Amino acid sequence: MVNTVVFTNPNAKSNVFDKTRVMTIERIVGSNGKVIRTQKAEDLEERISGLHKLNPESITVDGGDGTMLTFFTTFVKHWPKFKEFPPFAIIPGGTWNVMARHADISKRKWKEYLTGIIKSRKEDLSLQDIGLIRVRDNEWAETYGFSYGMGLPITLLEEYYTAKYLKEAKLAAMILHMVGSAMVDGEFYRKFAGKHAVKVSNGSGIEREASVLGLMAQSVPSVGLPKSHMFYQATHSERFHVLGAEIDIIELLIQSPALYLGKMHLLSKLGIIDLQTDHYKIRSEEPFRYQVNGDMSYLGKGLVANEVTLEHGKRIDVIKYLG
C-alpha cells in the first residue's frame, strides 16, 4: 500500500459540479493517507508549510493546470531544500489538464487511478519525469509551471474562455472568424494581429530586438489538444522549448498545421523562434501580460510585467496511470 496526502479544493469546478467527489476521494484513501481540504490560497500555504513532517510516500493534487500552478509554486517555496520530493499523483479536474494528460492520466478514470496507487507498492509505480519552469518577473512574482505565454496566446485564451461549453468548437470558430475578418481588415482580426516590441535573450546573455506576434515556452510537448506535438523539443526535464512568431498572423495561420503537429521541417523558419534552452528572458519598454499554465493571474493579481525571466526550476516525478 502507498501512503498519500491528497490536496483538494471543495470549491473547485469539478467538485462543485459533483458534490460527492471529495467524499469519494476520502473513501478511496481511507486509512492509507490523509485528505486535506483547502478552499483558499492561505489554507494551502498553511498546510504545505508543515507537510514534510508527515513524510508522505506520495502527494496527490486534485485539480487542473491552474491548481498545479498554485500548488507547485507554494510547494517549492516551503519544502525543505535538501529533502527529496516525493512522487506526485494528479486527479485531473480542471478546464485544462495538460500535465495530467502528459502522464497518461484520464479524467474519466481518476477513481481507478487513485485506487491503483493506493493498492500498489511504491517500487511498482510508473513515473513520468516533468520539468517545471521557474517564471520570475520584475514585479516580484515568481511561479512554477510547465507553460508560459505572452502576446497572441493571451488574446487566444481570453477569447477561448468566453465559451462555457464546447471549447474546441469555439477554437475552430475563432480561427474561421479571424480568417474572414482578415479579408476585410476587421476589428476581430486586428485584435489578434498586434505585435510586441521586445528584447529577448537565451542563456548566452546576448540580447536582440524582436517584434513578436506571440511567444510561448513549455516543458511538455502537447498543448492539451488532440495530436498536438507543438513543443517537440520539450523532451529534456532540465530544458524547455521556446516557440515564438515574428511573422504576421496570416502567415502564421498558413503554417499553423505544421506547427501544431511539431513538423518544423515543413516550415520556413524565417521569422520563427524555435529553440531548446534552460534560460530565456523577455524585456519590453511597455508592460505586457503573460500566462503560466493557462492562468493570467496568480493569487488574484494579474500577471503583468516589463521583464520576465524563464529558467529551469525543478524536476518532479508524476505517477502515471497504471491501467
Side-chain angles (χ1 to χ4, degrees), residues 256-275:
S256 60
L259 272 171
Y260 180 83
L261 296 170
K263 305 291 187 183
M264 297 301 288
H265 63 283
L266 300 177
L267 298 177
S268 163
K269 291 224 177 178
L270 189 63
I272 299 290
I273 299 168
D274 178 27
L275 61 97

Side-chain angles (χ1 to χ4, degrees), residues 5-8 34 36-38 40-56 59-62 67-80 83 85-86 88 298-299:
V5 175
V6 181
F7 285 85
T8 184
K34 185 174 184 179
I36 298 174
R37 302 184 183 210
T38 59
K40 304 187 297 293
E42 293 81 6
D43 298 338
L44 184 63
E45 184 142 15
E46 180 183 345
R47 294 306 188 103
I48 286 180
S49 62
L51 181 60
H52 64 281
K53 297 175 184 176
L54 298 176
N55 205 29
I59 296 172
T60 301
V61 189
D62 173 28
T67 299
M68 300 306 130
L69 169 65
T70 306
F71 177 84
F72 284 112
T73 298
T74 309
F75 181 85
V76 169
K77 177 181 175 183
H78 289 286
W79 192 258
K83 188 175 176 67
F85 287 1
F88 296 93
Y298 180 68
L299 300 181

Side-chain angles (χ1 to χ4, degrees), residues 174-194:
M174 186 166 44
I175 293 171
L176 290 173
H177 189 179
M178 193 188 307
V179 171
S181 181
M183 293 178 179
V184 294
D185 194 27
E187 183 179 343
F188 192 76
Y189 161 73
R190 291 196 298 272
K191 178 163 62 172
F192 291 89

Side-chain angles (χ1 to χ4, degrees), residues 112-147:
E112 295 91 329
Y113 170 67
L114 183 58
T115 301
I117 292 170
I118 296 294
K119 291 184 176 180
S120 295
R121 297 181 303 172
K122 188 174 181 180
E123 57 268 27
D124 292 335
L125 296 175
S126 178
L127 305 177
Q128 172 72 60
D129 184 20
I130 295 178
L132 295 179
I133 303 170
R134 182 189 185 199
V135 182
R136 294 182 295 126
D137 70 24
N138 64 308
E139 297 296 324
W140 306 105
E142 180 176 317
T143 55
Y144 286 80
F146 65 85
S147 178

Side-chain angles (χ1 to χ4, degrees), residues 45 58 61 81 84-85 98 107 122 125 156 161 169 179 181 210 213 239 244 270 285-286 292 298 300:
E45 184 142 15
S58 68
V61 189
K81 291 192 182 343
E84 185 179 353
F85 287 1
V98 177
K107 193 172 183 178
K122 188 174 181 180
L125 296 175
L156 287 169
Y161 286 142
V179 171
S181 181
L213 181 66
R239 290 178 178 268
L270 189 63
E285 293 294 326
E286 296 294 325
V292 183
Y298 180 68

Side-chain angles (χ1 to χ4, degrees), residues 268-316:
S268 163
K269 291 224 177 178
L270 189 63
I272 299 290
I273 299 168
D274 178 27
L275 61 97
Q276 186 188 62
T277 184
D278 61 1
H279 186 279
Y280 202 78
K281 182 181 285 187
I282 307 102
R283 291 199 304 124
S284 173
E285 293 294 326
E286 296 294 325
F288 58 88
R289 295 179 299 157
Y290 66 94
Q291 62 86 12
V292 183
N293 281 21
D295 275 15
M296 294 173 281
S297 63
Y298 180 68
L299 300 181
K301 183 180 178 181
L303 295 172
V304 182
N306 291 80
E307 181 178 307
V308 172
T309 301
L310 311 175
E311 302 166 297
H312 165 65
K314 296 289 182 180
R315 296 169 64 175
I316 60 171

